[in-house]
Amino acid sequence: MLGYVLKSLSIFTGKQVFILQRILVYSHTTTLRQSVKTQPITLFSTVKLTPPLISTKQFNPSVSTVRNTSFFNKLPADSLWKGVTSVSNAGKKRGRGRAVGKKMAKNLNRGQVVGVGKTNMLWPGLNSPIIQGRELIQQKKLPDDPDREAKLLKLRDEMGAFRLLRLSPLERGWSGPKLPGRSVGPPDPVGEDNFEGFDTIVLEFKIVCNMKGNLGRTRRTSAFVVTGNGNGLAGFATGKAQLGMTALRKAKNRAAQKLMYVERYNEHTVLHDFFAAFGKTRIFVQKKPEGYGLVCHRAIREICKAVGIKDIYAKVEGSTKNVQHVAKAFMVGLLRQKTFEQIAEETKLHVVEFRKERDYFPQIMAKPSEVKTTKAIDDMDLNLHLNAGKVVSKRKKGFQPNESDPSWKNHIAKTERFRNRDQVRVNLLVEHGEVRSFLADKYPECRQIKFSKKMEES
Amino acid sequence: MATRAVMFTIGKFRCFPILKSGVAKFTTSSNLLSTATFDPGYTRDPSEVFFKENVQALLDRLTGRDYEKVFQNRKLGQRLEPPKYELLTQAEVDQVMAEMAAKLKRKLQMPPLLKEREPVTKILSEDPELQGFDNCKYVFINISQGINDRKREVVVRDPNGVLRDASWEERQRMCQIYFPVPGRQIYMPKMFEETHLQDCLEKGQYEFVLDRACAQFEPDDPDYIRVTRKTYNCVDENNKFSTLRSTRHFGPMVLHLVLCKRMDNLLFHFITSKDVKAAVDLVRLFHLIWSDPSYSELDEFQLIENYIQGPAVKKPALELAWQTFLEIEKQRLEALSLSQQNTASN
């Protein structure tokens, strides 16, 4: 049989010497001949070619040996894949295998069916019934499927690497693909309570360890979440579990059991400025007008969204990285707020609001049951009363120009002509429909070139 | 186009020749172009009646004093500030409210209803020897402090050698340069041009138009008269009296409508909104202006009925509204007396 093969090959390829090993596997000579004729020779992986020596007169064939046994045909697929996708314990200690986890084992059997191969054959009993109607089906060749190979390769390419789920920018968390800042949906329903309108946001998601006598270092995942309906109700809690998802679920459902009601001013901001602290974290919160937004620590921002506060300024001093302390301090502050009625009763004075947009018309927010006639020193300012006589120290402004300084005068002289530039622009646009020079009447050809976006020629 | 900014002093005048060759623009100001006089609908001088004390009192009463309306949230075009809070005793609250009453009075001060001003024609001197001294006008203005803008000396030397008092437009422009009035622009805003004004009025921005007209023009400016009278008429046609109630423009509007003898819509509005006092005041104002002495003896209901029977133009609508009002009033009184009887018997 071998001789026949070699003979047929030598007929085909001239005087080249071949070392054929795998070809022996083939028992059917006709198939081999067919495959050799139709396929380029390089497809045979174990065939080694030496280029023909054209220059030498005498033909001198070079012979190289090929080892037929390697770990490829000795080891099972699982072990082979393990070698590629993981790193040994010893290797890990030396810092190898940093990319471990990115590569995953491919299941090469996927997409392959018994009886279906490169040649599209109909094998009765294997990939088709033997009898159809009253006829016996014969084994026959069907036209080849040209896309089969490409499909198989595509399927294999898709497998190998670990891919993250694509998130829309609105669903992303604070940083990259990390969980903190991401929404994990409403808490699970309890009885008839479905927690409609609630949303949960992860504030902290980390691995925590504990040493045990028999188990050594045990790891768990800790999740710290806040849940709220955006309408005054909110709660926060931690949950710990071996699995991250379980920790999240636990935390979410625990938070739903610890809901607190927070008073808001016109459903958009806090009732008044306040100070709150927890541990080393201190927070100074300021009431802000509508449209100001949430200018604060990101954890505070998420809590505000859960509570339904839309405008606030908060400055965190001390530890800002301890998210649990930040959250607790802020929540304590929110819950300690005093309503206008409470303030009025405490001070026995009218609480009166003045707004610039109402031309400082006094709006009486709360009246006490009885009004006192003389005021204490703390009653001079609402914040003084709320902070029990303490005053928030304000930082000095960074740069204060010395107006007699020649360099400042120079600066003013240089920039004076630009001081109303934006307003002048608007006025010119209103008056002439364009930004123009005062010389435009005299020299109409001197005007600003208007840039218009070029339309794509298609 | 060089601008001359040479300053020289003669006596108490500090004189500024300004905008040497900017004259073309100067003389063809939009105010001069649109001098086609607007017909307000009456020939009387409204200032004769407007400044009368009893007319002022009636207009003041008709305007109303709704603090919520006068001190409503306004868009100031500035960044919003957080509200300020104070802890006040009752005495302090009363004091602040008294201040607010004064503020309200100031805010509701009515812009006068005047007739169009006469053009300035006074020539100070004619010096033909100065003819052609320059190709532009020289304007001299006294920029001393503490002078009323209408009395401030502003004179113009024309290129033909005539020295004359500045026209109203020239005066307003010069005063605006040296003593700018907040909210006033040197050129009339496009909003007050006929087409744009119509758009503004169609959007129902009556108060805004009137407020801005107050800032931009003098009350006897032909443009002011055109813009405001047009707005008043528009309010009347669309029956949007409540938008101007408790604003400074309500009084002048009422007076304008009464002078035009087209106050029936307003009276109808008062009657349908069951505001008899205002309706009576309106009829009293009508009689006061058209000098009918017989009204003073009549009681309130009689006064309105007489008006509807007499000088009213839209008689059927008014009569119907008045009858319905009377019926409702009657029912209300009956119900009241019934409940009183019940309480008495109990």
Side-chain angles (χ1 to χ4, degrees):
Chain A
M1 187 88 71
L2 179 63
Y4 183 83
V5 172
L6 278 175
K7 195 179 156 195
S8 66
L9 274 170
S10 60
I11 294 163
F12 181 63
T13 53
K15 283 182 176 176
Q16 290 175 27
V17 173
F18 289 90
I19 294 134
L20 297 170
Q21 296 291 336
R22 265 210 160 162
I23 296 168
L24 291 176
V25 180
Y26 291 94
S27 55
H28 207 278
T29 45
T30 48
T31 356
L32 173 70
R33 197 181 283 165
Q34 202 179 16
S35 68
V36 165
K37 275 177 187 168
T38 51
Q39 302 284 335
I41 293 161
T42 47
L43 269 183
F44 298 98
S45 52
T46 46
V47 171
K48 288 228 166 172
L49 295 179
T50 47
L53 300 166
I54 301 160
S55 57
T56 48
K57 282 177 186 173
Q58 202 187 345
F59 178 66
N60 191 14
S62 66
V63 178
S64 56
T65 53
V66 170
R67 234 177 248 276
N68 304 323
T69 52
S70 76
F71 60 88
F72 275 123
N73 48 22
K74 268 186 182 168
L75 292 172
D78 284 350
S79 315
L80 286 179
W81 277 117
K82 197 184 162 196
V84 185
T85 55
S86 68
V87 70
S88 70
N89 227 357
K92 203 186 274 174
K93 278 178 190 160
R94 290 182 176 81
R96 285 182 206 138
R98 296 219 173 118
V100 161
K102 283 185 184 170
K103 231 186 232 174
M104 280 160 67
K106 293 183 187 183
N107 183 2
L108 298 180
N109 292 326
R110 255 183 83 195
Q112 304 221 63
V113 189
V114 175
V116 182
K118 269 180 198 167
T119 343
N120 202 1
M121 286 290 291
L122 196 70
W123 302 104
L126 183 63
N127 58 8
S128 80
I130 302 168
I131 300 167
Q132 195 169 34
R134 307 190 71 192
E135 266 183 64
L136 197 70
I137 292 179
Q138 294 295 317
Q139 157 189 344
K140 66 173 175 186
K141 194 170 183 300
L142 297 171
D144 280 343
D145 181 13
D147 299 335
R148 184 185 167 275
E149 197 84 352
K151 273 183 200 163
L152 213 60
L153 282 175
K154 200 185 160 201
L155 199 72
R156 284 179 188 169
D157 282 347
E158 274 173 4
M159 272 190 284
F162 176 72
R163 270 164 212 274
L164 276 171
L165 209 65
R166 170 114 188 128
L167 283 173
S168 89
L170 288 176
E171 289 171 328
R172 279 178 211 155
W174 295 332
S175 160
K178 302 259 167 58
L179 211 48
R182 271 183 60 187
S183 159
V184 286
D188 298 333
V190 179
E192 285 184 4
D193 197 351
N194 288 328
F195 294 105
E196 266 171 39
F198 275 78
D199 191 26
T200 312
I201 285 156
V202 185
L203 296 180
E204 198 180 45
F205 191 74
K206 62 180 182 185
I207 290 169
V208 288
C209 301
N210 191 18
M211 274 308 226
K212 288 195 175 164
N214 50 351
L215 295 170
R217 191 187 300 274
T218 54
R219 290 158 194 274
R220 282 195 300 174
T221 310
S222 154
F224 181 61
V225 305
V226 60
T227 187
N229 65 352
N231 200 16
L233 270 182
F236 61 85
T238 51
K240 283 178 201 154
Q242 295 261 324
L243 287 172
M245 282 301 130
T246 324
L248 278 179
R249 203 193 63 241
K250 270 185 174 175
K252 187 163 80 172
N253 293 337
R254 261 161 63 88
Q257 297 305 312
K258 299 179 175 195
L259 294 178
M260 293 165 268
Y261 183 72
V262 174
E263 290 269 359
R264 292 166 299 155
Y265 175 81
N266 285 355
E267 306 203 336
H268 80 97
T269 187
V270 289
L271 291 179
H272 51 73
D273 296 359
F274 63 80
F275 164 77
F278 193 94
K280 280 282 176 189
T281 304
R282 289 164 292 141
I283 307 178
F284 299 87
V285 178
Q286 285 176 21
K287 179 177 189 163
K288 286 292 171 189
E290 269 167 353
Y292 185 86
L294 299 170
V295 185
C296 49
H297 189 285
R298 57 193 187 179
I300 297 179
R301 189 177 64 217
E302 300 304 342
I303 297 172
C304 284
K305 281 181 195 167
V307 171
I309 291 169
K310 293 172 194 89
D311 309 291
I312 202 180
Y313 171 82
K315 172 79 187 147
V316 183
E317 283 185 6
S319 174
T320 58
K321 286 184 181 172
N322 193 336
V323 177
Q324 302 201 6
H325 279 197
V326 172
K328 282 168 191 166
F330 184 61
M331 215 59 193
V332 164
L334 284 181
L335 293 174
R336 277 196 192 153
Q337 287 183 105
K338 287 174 182 167
T339 60
F340 295 125
E341 287 74 22
Q342 280 173 322
I343 297 168
E345 279 309 319
E346 277 173 15
T347 55
K348 300 215 183 307
L349 289 166
H350 294 288
V351 182
V352 186
E353 182 191 86
F354 296 88
R355 283 170 169 277
K356 193 186 177 191
E357 59 267 29
R358 293 196 66 183
D359 207 359
Y360 301 110
F361 181 73
Q363 175 99 31
I364 296 176
M365 305 304 284
K367 281 180 182 173
S369 48
E370 55 170 317
V371 193
K372 67 182 177 187
T373 46
T374 48
K375 280 159 77 168
I377 192 82
D378 276 6
D379 299 335
M380 295 300 164
D381 187 4
L382 180 67
N383 282 333
L384 219 54
H385 168 75
L386 291 169
N387 298 338
K390 284 189 204 164
V391 179
V392 177
S393 78
K394 286 200 175 146
R395 276 179 81 183
K396 258 189 193 174
K397 276 180 189 171
F399 173 71
Q400 283 158 323
N402 179 3
E403 289 186 8
S404 61
D405 188 351
S407 66
W408 178 252
K409 280 182 184 169
N410 186 23
H411 163 74
I412 290 295
K414 272 184 177 171
T415 53
E416 196 189 14
R417 65 201 180 98
F418 300 121
R419 71 215 138 133
N420 287 333
R421 190 194 242 177
D422 44 351
Q423 232 173 319
V424 169
R425 256 183 84 86
V426 171
N427 284 348
L428 283 173
L429 283 170
V430 167
E431 215 165 297
H432 306 292
E434 62 173 355
V435 180
R436 63 191 276 184
S437 158
F438 67 99
L439 291 172
D441 283 333
K442 207 171 178 186
Y443 305 103
E445 68 277 12
C446 293
R447 50 185 63 235
Q448 209 180 18
I449 300 163
K450 275 184 187 168
F451 287 101
S452 57
K453 205 178 176 184
K454 277 183 187 170
M455 296 299 283
E456 272 182 35
E457 290 170 20
S458 57
Chain B
M1 195 191 275
T3 52
R4 254 188 222 175
V6 191
M7 189 181 88
F8 46 98
T9 316
I10 311 167
K12 71 175 194 175
F13 276 91
R14 269 180 281 168
C15 311
F16 287 82
I18 61 136
L19 281 179
K20 187 171 169 279
S21 46
V23 190
K25 223 175 194 178
F26 192 88
T27 46
T28 55
S29 78
S30 53
N31 288 2
L32 272 180
L33 289 174
S34 62
T35 40
T37 45
F38 177 81
D39 177 28
Y42 46 85
T43 47
R44 281 175 74 173
D45 181 2
S47 60
E48 283 170 15
V49 282
F50 180 81
F51 292 109
K52 273 186 189 168
E53 227 165 78
N54 43 7
V55 172
Q56 281 283 319
L58 278 174
L59 290 180
D60 196 45
R61 273 221 299 273
L62 279 165
T63 302
R65 284 170 179 237
D66 184 359
Y67 278 81
E68 284 301 315
K69 178 85 186 286
V70 176
F71 294 101
Q72 65 185 338
N73 271 357
R74 277 175 204 281
K75 288 174 182 168
L76 301 173
Q78 295 162 3
R79 197 165 277 215
L80 287 175
E81 286 173 9
K84 292 187 171 55
Y85 293 92
E86 275 180 39
L87 300 167
L88 301 182
T89 59
Q90 189 59 51
E92 281 169 328
V93 169
D94 294 343
Q95 192 197 334
V96 176
M97 285 313 287
E99 282 169 21
M100 284 303 132
K103 205 175 197 175
L104 177 115
K105 207 175 169 191
R106 209 163 56 242
K107 283 185 157 227
L108 288 184
Q109 192 194 16
M110 288 177 273
L113 205 67
L114 304 175
K115 74 165 195 282
E116 263 181 49
R117 63 198 174 192
E118 298 295 327
V120 183
T121 50
K122 191 180 171 192
I123 288 174
L124 301 172
S125 82
E126 280 182 65
D127 305 304
E129 61 272 25
L130 280 177
Q131 205 164 6
F133 70 100
D134 206 341
N135 57 1
C136 64
K137 293 188 274 188
Y138 279 22
V139 183
F140 302 89
I141 176 170
N142 178 4
I143 57 165
S144 312
Q145 298 286 333
I147 311 173
N148 188 332
D149 274 359
R150 289 175 87 90
K151 287 176 185 161
R152 191 174 290 283
E153 295 98 329
V154 184
V155 292
V156 178
R157 174 76 76 179
D158 279 333
N160 60 6
V162 173
L163 184 70
R164 59 173 174 84
D165 266 356
S167 74
W168 288 111
E169 291 77 29
E170 287 163 342
R171 169 182 293 276
Q172 190 175 342
R173 187 169 161 188
M174 290 308 292
C175 291
Q176 181 62 17
I177 287 169
Y178 289 104
F179 306 95
V181 176
R184 181 176 288 186
Q185 290 183 6
I186 287 182
Y187 300 113
M188 183 179 78
K190 297 226 167 183
M191 189 180 111
F192 295 125
E193 285 170 13
E194 211 50 32
T195 49
H196 300 304
L197 180 66
Q198 201 54 45
D199 288 347
C200 284
L201 295 181
E202 271 164 23
K203 281 179 194 161
Q205 296 173 327
Y206 308 115
E207 201 188 344
F208 173 62
V209 169
L210 291 171
D211 276 342
R212 195 159 187 208
C214 269
Q216 179 65 28
F217 306 114
E218 292 293 310
D220 55 355
D221 191 318
D223 274 323
Y224 178 80
I225 290 168
R226 172 178 63 83
V227 169
T228 51
R229 308 303 189 266
K230 201 161 183 192
T231 314
Y232 297 153
N233 291 347
C234 196
V235 171
D236 176 43
E237 281 154 20
N238 295 317
N239 230 335
K240 298 277 183 179
F241 300 107
S242 47
T243 57
L244 287 192
R245 203 84 195 266
S246 282
T247 67
R248 58 196 301 217
H249 309 292
F250 195 77
M253 183 192 69
V254 172
L255 189 60
H256 167 77
L257 294 178
V258 171
L259 281 168
C260 293
K261 293 194 175 177
R262 48 189 290 182
M263 50 172 266
D264 290 6
N265 279 347
L266 184 57
L267 188 64
F268 182 79
H269 168 77
F270 284 146
I271 292 172
T272 45
S273 55
K274 301 189 188 71
D275 196 350
V276 192
K277 276 185 184 173
V280 171
D281 281 343
L282 184 64
V283 177
R284 285 219 169 103
L285 185 70
F286 177 83
H287 289 307
L288 197 66
I289 286 165
W290 297 105
S291 55
D292 188 353
S294 63
Y295 71 93
S296 52
E297 293 95 49
L298 297 169
D299 76 318
E300 294 183 344
F301 283 24
Q302 197 62 41
L303 204 61
I304 294 171
E305 244 161 59
N306 277 13
Y307 174 80
I308 294 171
Q309 299 307 329
V313 184
K314 295 183 176 174
K315 277 191 180 102
L318 277 176
E319 213 159 297
L320 197 66
W322 182 242
Q323 288 309 323
T324 11
F325 169 75
L326 283 181
E327 244 166 61
I328 292 168
E329 191 66 13
K330 204 172 143 192
Q331 281 170 10
R332 195 178 65 84
L333 284 175
E334 274 172 13
L336 204 71
S337 62
L338 263 176
S339 65
Q340 272 173 355
Q341 276 174 11
N342 286 346
T343 47
S345 61
N346 286 342

